[in-house]
Amino acid sequence: MQVLKFGGSSVAHSDAIKRICSLLEKKPKGRYAIIVSALGNITDQLIQCGKLASERRNIYKNILEEIEIRHINIIRELFPITYQSHLISWIKKNLNDLESLCDGIFQVEELSKRSLDKIMSFGELSSSFLIAEKLKQIGLDAICKDSRDLIITDSQFGCAQVDFITSNHHIIQFFREKTSEYIVLPGFIGSTLENETTTLGRGGSDYTASILASAISSSLLEIWTDVSGMMTANPKIVNQAFPIKEISYEEAMELSHFGAKVIYPPTIHPAMKKHIPIQIKNTFSPIDPGTLIYINKNTNISQPVTGISGIQNMALLTLEGSGMVGIPGYSKRLFEALSREKINVIFITQSSSEHSITTGIHETDIIKAKTVIDSEFSQEIHQRRLDPLRIEKNLCIIAVVGDNMKNLHGTSGKMFSALGRNSINVRAIAQGSTEKNISAVIRKTDFKKALNTLHEAFFESPPKQINLFICGVGKVGSKLMEQIDQQQNYLLEELKLQVRVIGLANSKKMYFNDHGINLSDWEENISQKGINMNIYSFMEKVWKFNLRNSLFVDNTASKEMAMTYDKFLKNGIGVITCNKIACSSDYDHYKKLKTLSRHFKAPFLFETNVGASLPVISTLNDLINSGDKINKIEAVLSGSLNFIFNHFLGKKSFLEVVKEAQLKGYTEPDPRIDLSGRDVMRKILILARECGCPLELSDIHHKSFLPETCLNSSSIEFFYQKLHKYRDYFFKIRNEAEKYKKRLRFIARYENGIASVGLESVKQIHPFFQLEGKDNMVLYNTYRYDEQPLIIKGAGAGAEVTASGVFSDIIKATK
């Protein structure tokens, strides 16, 4: 004989009954015990009736009228007219009894647990009655039996304890006497020996099914609900969660204890005692395999973790003090005190020195727990043998569960490494002696992030999800968006990376989408749906999202933006930037950012600070990390200046060439930044610092080729006027170089702790002589590259190549 339980509050009542009856018609011939929970969320309405009655509000009668109308409509929808009269009479009689009970509550102005159990029983009774009647109407041999006649409990109303000996005797005797093929019983309810209605607590209908299955030694217990089985994690929090096909009783109990609400621990015990398999199925999708819970699942040694779950709104209580060391009885007294107040202990850990005991409880129990513990240990606290109870709130617990964890090394290491990489601080840890569960207490704000991080670590073969928050969508930023959009399929298929842009900002607006911004219409979204941009508001949004594998990308030239990097790094969010200001600011600030990056394991990459997409910084780091010594660096580091001096030919004036470079996007919007040489100073400073030299920007020797009045121009327009005024001066510089068959190059140098920049004329034999267009070139003269320098050459300016350099850093950061 099989036991089937049907429930699921998300379905409409009549639709649920039709679906259940359809499923039962398709079952093979045999005997079935059918347990029914209150369908259609009617229990919530019944609870509301009781509360309103106790608060002297006559509107509870309106709710009872709604329930009556709802049931009558269901009857008229499900049954032919000849069947309807006695069904409606049954419903009205029970509702009249219910109204009389609510009237009594109204008079005494008090809702007891005993009365509430009686009220709530109506939902299960009506649902099971209607299903049994529908089965009979479609020609099946069905009867309805009141579970209160079979399941006997104590008088702990609200969550009664089952008397298994008496209940099993009643159940076995009943099923021996009744030979009907379909026996429909309400779940969730029982009764005392005095025939008072009781309820079995959360998951009570599943528990009813398990009690019956155990009593009659059923071959299988099927629980039909509105999900396709137990999931690897909560699918409302982890989008990638998937059903678990097979799971052991112990694993199911561990996951359900830590928040997996598909099944509750009490349901498993009776079935486990008789080794009865439990199959969880989806009423809406019966072809889905669901989850099979039984004693010997097919183990997969390579997959140590079966599921991940967690409990929110938790608090830690820590009792500590030197007076505990070596003195027996403290643990006993602590847990007895909590037990007296019926406070459930979720989590326990104790230091090996016996100096402290930490327990986890629900936040709702904090006041009760503190009162009872302070009272129990008042003498020890007064004598300072114990410290006052320490309470930590706003916490949660996550649990990684699996039978195979004990057979594979490194599971806990993998767990804590994944959490650490995403800056999720672990407050406390516990692992049972069976090694089926590793639990960690973390901040409540990290709950979603932690579940997704651990699910990715243990269950998701690539792709790895990368979440980007991008500031600056001008020339470089828009090209970056275009490149990410073009490469998404490649990244997914070849690198197994799912790159999502979650936040975007320009100087005026910012826009966020936690599912990822559509890169084909981001401009429209930011202009129409964006809110006013403020860097601190932007950061608050990023903190609030708290997504794993997050990266902040700065495509601006803003000093305010550059000064926020430390805040991102402290929150474990990597920083990718083409903004040179941070790395060329005070040396102490530069070192602080590097230190924060290492400490919080958050990448800080700024390859595009020097040479756009050229691997200038990464090559330098590779040389140093491999033990090479940098003797000298010579470099042309300004693509804009190189373009300008390469095109300063014939009759073209210097002003005309500068305007051409600006029009092509090779210079900054303000060309004075490039022509002043300050940009090159920043670049050589960054290279010197990457070599380990603690230089400041003021330490760099700079001989400007611009007249002083040009440098001090108050506006771009005035600057252009000055360039026109000094046209002969610039022609003279060019002609002097051409006279000796040389070419003008703005060169940066670093050697022996000294850095300099300036305009020079180079001979034909020098590598810089042949530099074309906007190309950059860097010469590394090292211990290993002594006779011939290591040369890096290529385009060093332009939005597209800079964007590709930023993109490359994003991909590096994912590793």
Side-chain angles (χ1 to χ4, degrees):
M1 186 171 186
Q2 289 187 13
V3 176
L4 289 72
K5 179 265 176 179
F6 287 95
S9 61
S10 63
V11 295
H13 205 145
S14 57
D15 289 343
I17 292 174
K18 288 177 184 176
R19 192 177 294 274
I20 290 167
C21 292
S22 174
L23 286 168
L24 290 171
E25 276 189 293
K26 296 173 184 175
K27 282 282 182 183
K29 291 287 283 184
R31 293 190 74 200
Y32 297 96
I34 299 142
I35 314 301
V36 181
S37 64
L39 305 173
N41 263 340
I42 191 172
T43 303
D44 293 340
Q45 285 183 295
L46 293 168
I47 292 171
Q48 189 181 13
C49 271
K51 287 182 177 178
L52 292 173
S54 67
E55 294 168 5
R56 296 186 61 81
R57 294 180 188 173
N58 258 319
I59 57 172
Y60 69 84
K61 295 190 177 183
N62 296 336
I63 298 175
L64 290 173
E65 286 177 11
E66 286 178 20
I67 293 173
E68 181 178 337
I69 292 168
R70 180 178 175 185
H71 278 82
I72 290 172
N73 288 338
I74 290 167
I75 291 167
R76 286 174 176 163
E77 185 178 342
L78 288 175
F79 297 93
I81 194 165
T82 54
Y83 273 74
Q84 292 176 12
S85 60
H86 85 280
L87 299 179
I88 293 172
S89 296
W90 187 94
I91 292 292
K92 285 189 173 184
K93 177 185 177 300
N94 281 272
L95 280 170
N96 287 337
D97 293 342
L98 193 57
E99 185 173 357
S100 297
L101 178 58
C102 289
D103 287 339
I105 293 168
F106 181 77
Q107 295 299 323
V108 299
E109 301 180 28
E110 182 181 345
L111 176 64
S112 67
K113 289 184 178 179
R114 175 180 170 182
S115 299
L116 186 59
D117 278 1
K118 182 84 172 172
I119 291 171
M120 286 194 292
S121 68
F122 177 82
E124 272 70 23
L125 289 168
S126 63
S127 295
S128 56
F129 172 73
L130 290 175
I131 288 174
E133 292 297 316
K134 183 62 181 176
L135 291 174
K136 284 192 278 186
Q137 188 261 315
I138 61 177
L140 298 178
D141 179 17
I143 61 169
C144 184
K145 177 63 177 175
D146 192 335
S147 298
R148 293 175 294 184
D149 298 335
L150 304 179
I151 296 178
I152 308 304
T153 72
D154 63 11
S155 57
Q156 189 176 319
F157 298 100
C159 189
Q161 300 299 305
V162 176
D163 178 348
F164 280 95
I165 295 174
T166 307
S167 298
N168 288 346
H169 173 72
H170 287 181
I171 293 166
I172 292 168
Q173 187 176 0
F174 171 78
F175 278 93
R176 280 176 182 168
E177 293 173 357
K178 296 296 180 182
T179 58
S180 299
E181 291 184 359
Y182 299 90
I183 301 171
V184 184
L185 305 101
F188 183 56
I189 59 174
S191 71
T192 66
L193 289 170
E194 292 76 28
N195 293 323
E196 294 286 351
T197 300
T198 57
T199 59
L200 304 181
R202 298 191 72 179
S205 293
D206 292 353
Y207 190 26
T208 303
S210 186
I211 292 166
L212 263 75
S214 176
I216 62 177
S217 299
S218 175
S219 60
L220 177 68
L221 167 58
E222 291 184 7
I223 296 177
W224 290 81
T225 182
D226 47 14
V227 294
S228 295
M230 297 189 76
M231 309 287 280
T232 50
N234 186 341
K236 293 179 182 177
I237 298 175
V238 181
N239 292 332
Q240 290 76 25
F242 55 88
I244 302 168
K245 290 184 179 179
E246 296 179 354
I247 188 171
S248 70
Y249 292 119
E250 291 84 357
E251 289 173 323
M253 280 194 289
E254 290 283 357
L255 285 174
S256 59
H257 174 73
F258 284 97
K261 303 304 182 188
V262 176
I263 193 168
Y264 288 84
T267 302
I268 300 170
H269 284 286
M272 183 173 73
K273 189 176 179 181
K274 291 283 190 76
H275 294 178
I276 299 167
I278 303 172
Q279 183 85 52
I280 300 173
K281 298 280 285 182
N282 190 341
T283 312
F284 294 95
S285 185
I287 62 171
D288 290 353
T291 298
L292 182 63
I293 306 171
Y294 63 123
I295 193 164
N296 291 316
K297 68 168 189 172
N298 295 322
T299 57
N300 180 2
I301 296 298
S302 63
Q303 181 56 59
V305 174
T306 301
I308 302 165
S309 192
I311 301 172
Q312 299 192 69
N313 303 315
M314 201 186 105
L316 280 185
L317 311 178
T318 300
L319 188 69
E320 64 180 330
S322 57
M324 294 175 63
V325 180
I327 307 298
Y330 277 99
S331 299
K332 177 177 179 289
R333 290 171 61 193
L334 173 64
F335 296 121
E336 280 183 347
L338 294 172
S339 176
R340 285 196 300 271
E341 292 297 317
K342 295 182 171 53
I343 296 170
N344 183 39
V345 176
I346 306 166
F347 177 96
I348 305 168
T349 184
Q350 182 173 15
S351 66
S352 57
S353 65
E354 302 179 34
H355 181 261
S356 68
I357 305 172
T358 298
T359 60
I361 64 171
H362 286 286
E363 281 190 346
T364 52
D365 292 327
I366 287 176
I367 295 174
K368 282 198 301 182
K370 178 170 173 51
T371 302
V372 72
I373 293 172
D374 284 348
S375 174
E376 177 68 33
F377 297 100
S378 59
Q379 185 175 349
E380 288 86 346
I381 293 170
H382 178 71
Q383 294 170 351
R384 298 190 177 180
R385 284 185 285 158
L386 289 182
D387 298 334
L389 183 69
R390 189 168 75 246
I391 299 172
E392 296 171 75
K393 297 186 286 187
N394 298 317
L395 299 172
C396 65
I397 186 170
I398 49 171
V400 170
V401 173
D403 283 341
N404 290 331
M405 293 197 298
K406 61 186 175 185
N407 299 319
L408 283 176
H409 301 296
T411 304
S412 57
K414 187 175 183 179
M415 174 182 177
F416 296 118
S417 176
L419 294 174
R421 282 197 305 272
N422 282 276
S423 293
I424 300 170
N425 185 47
V426 175
R427 176 62 192 84
I429 302 166
Q431 182 172 11
S433 58
T434 60
E435 299 184 56
K436 296 178 187 291
N437 178 323
I438 306 172
S439 303
V441 176
I442 60 173
R443 292 181 305 176
K444 187 163 65 176
T445 51
D446 286 329
F447 186 71
K448 179 179 178 180
K449 184 179 181 182
L451 283 181
N452 279 276
T453 295
L454 294 178
H455 196 272
E456 182 180 81
F458 287 107
F459 292 109
E460 297 171 31
S461 55
K464 179 180 181 181
Q465 190 181 92
I466 308 300
N467 298 296
L468 303 181
F469 296 88
I470 300 175
C471 279
V473 287
K475 290 179 180 178
V476 173
S478 58
K479 286 293 181 184
L480 174 63
M481 300 287 282
E482 185 181 310
Q483 291 171 11
I484 293 172
D485 192 26
Q486 289 174 351
Q487 285 295 100
Q488 278 187 331
N489 288 336
Y490 174 85
L491 294 174
L492 201 59
E493 293 172 10
E494 300 298 326
L495 300 184
K496 308 303 180 187
L497 294 176
Q498 182 191 17
V499 178
R500 306 191 310 166
V501 178
I502 303 298
L504 273 180
N506 56 26
S507 59
K508 296 179 180 178
K509 294 284 187 77
M510 57 184 182
Y511 172 67
F512 298 87
N513 187 325
D514 56 354
H515 297 296
I517 294 170
N518 188 336
L519 300 186
S520 62
D521 60 357
W522 63 268
E523 291 173 288
E524 182 181 339
N525 280 322
I526 200 171
S527 63
Q528 294 184 7
K529 300 179 183 178
I531 58 177
N532 291 337
M533 170 58 180
N534 176 284
I535 183 57
Y536 299 103
S537 299
F538 185 91
M539 286 192 292
E540 283 178 12
K541 281 278 192 181
V542 177
W543 309 159
K544 189 173 180 180
F545 277 112
N546 200 20
L547 297 173
R548 70 194 189 283
N549 306 324
S550 290
L551 297 173
F552 171 63
V553 182
D554 180 16
N555 299 314
T556 73
S558 163
K559 182 177 180 179
E560 183 185 24
M561 201 73 71
M563 293 300 107
T564 64
Y565 297 170
D566 59 333
K567 296 176 179 62
F568 285 100
L569 295 171
K570 284 177 183 176
N571 279 275
I573 296 171
V575 175
I576 312 297
T577 182
C578 58
N579 186 338
K580 306 174 191 69
I581 293 174
C583 289
S584 60
S585 61
D586 294 343
Y587 180 76
D588 289 343
H589 183 69
Y590 159 83
K591 285 297 290 181
K592 177 185 176 183
L593 296 178
K594 300 278 281 189
T595 302
L596 289 173
S597 173
R598 288 192 299 270
H599 181 74
F600 290 99
K601 297 180 174 60
F604 176 42
L605 300 176
F606 44 91
E607 184 72 76
T608 48
N609 279 197
V610 182
S613 65
L614 295 177
V616 177
I617 294 175
S618 57
T619 302
L620 176 60
N621 288 330
D622 288 343
L623 290 170
I624 295 170
N625 293 338
S626 65
D628 205 349
K629 181 182 177 182
I630 308 299
N631 296 325
K632 182 169 65 174
I633 300 174
E634 289 182 287
V636 172
L637 295 174
S638 173
S640 53
L641 285 175
N642 200 48
F643 177 88
I644 288 168
F645 287 115
N646 274 329
H647 288 77
F648 185 28
L649 304 168
K651 294 182 179 180
K652 276 187 179 180
S653 69
F654 190 70
L655 172 60
E656 288 174 319
V657 179
V658 170
K659 285 187 173 181
E660 182 184 353
Q662 187 187 30
L663 187 65
K664 291 180 179 291
Y666 297 152
T667 70
E668 297 289 341
D670 183 350
R672 290 174 294 179
I673 297 172
D674 299 279
L675 292 170
S676 68
R678 191 170 183 83
D679 190 57
V680 177
M681 290 171 68
R682 286 175 174 159
K683 291 179 179 180
I684 194 64
L685 174 67
I686 292 168
L687 292 181
R689 287 176 171 179
E690 290 293 291
C691 290
C693 186
L695 288 179
E696 300 288 358
L697 194 62
S698 58
D699 296 328
I700 297 174
H701 303 285
H702 175 215
K703 184 178 179 181
S704 176
F705 67 92
L706 288 177
E708 193 70 25
T709 53
C710 292
L711 284 171
N712 297 327
S713 302
S714 57
S715 67
I716 297 174
E717 184 181 354
F718 189 57
F719 175 67
Y720 283 154
Q721 291 175 7
K722 290 295 182 182
L723 290 186
H724 179 73
K725 178 181 177 181
Y726 284 96
R727 58 181 292 158
D728 292 339
Y729 164 79
F730 293 114
F731 276 129
K732 182 179 179 182
I733 293 174
R734 187 194 70 186
N735 294 337
E736 186 70 20
E738 289 178 347
K739 178 180 176 182
Y740 296 99
K741 297 183 178 179
K742 295 181 179 181
R743 289 186 177 174
L744 295 173
R745 298 288 181 258
F746 196 83
I747 299 174
R749 285 191 170 84
Y750 170 73
E751 186 175 9
N752 296 325
I754 299 172
S756 63
V757 299
L759 186 65
E760 301 180 26
S761 53
V762 297
K763 298 178 181 179
Q764 292 182 5
I765 58 172
H766 198 286
F768 292 158
F769 186 87
Q770 299 297 334
L771 267 180
E772 300 294 334
K774 60 182 184 298
D775 283 357
N776 281 189
M777 182 180 285
V778 180
L779 310 180
Y780 287 130
N781 188 284
T782 74
Y783 174 78
R784 294 175 188 154
Y785 294 91
D786 185 27
E787 294 183 7
Q788 292 291 331
L790 175 63
I791 299 176
I792 300 170
K793 176 186 174 185
E800 192 156 4
V801 292
T802 303
S804 70
V806 172
F807 197 3
S808 177
D809 273 353
I810 290 170
I811 295 169
K812 286 177 190 173
T814 66
K815 302 175 182 178

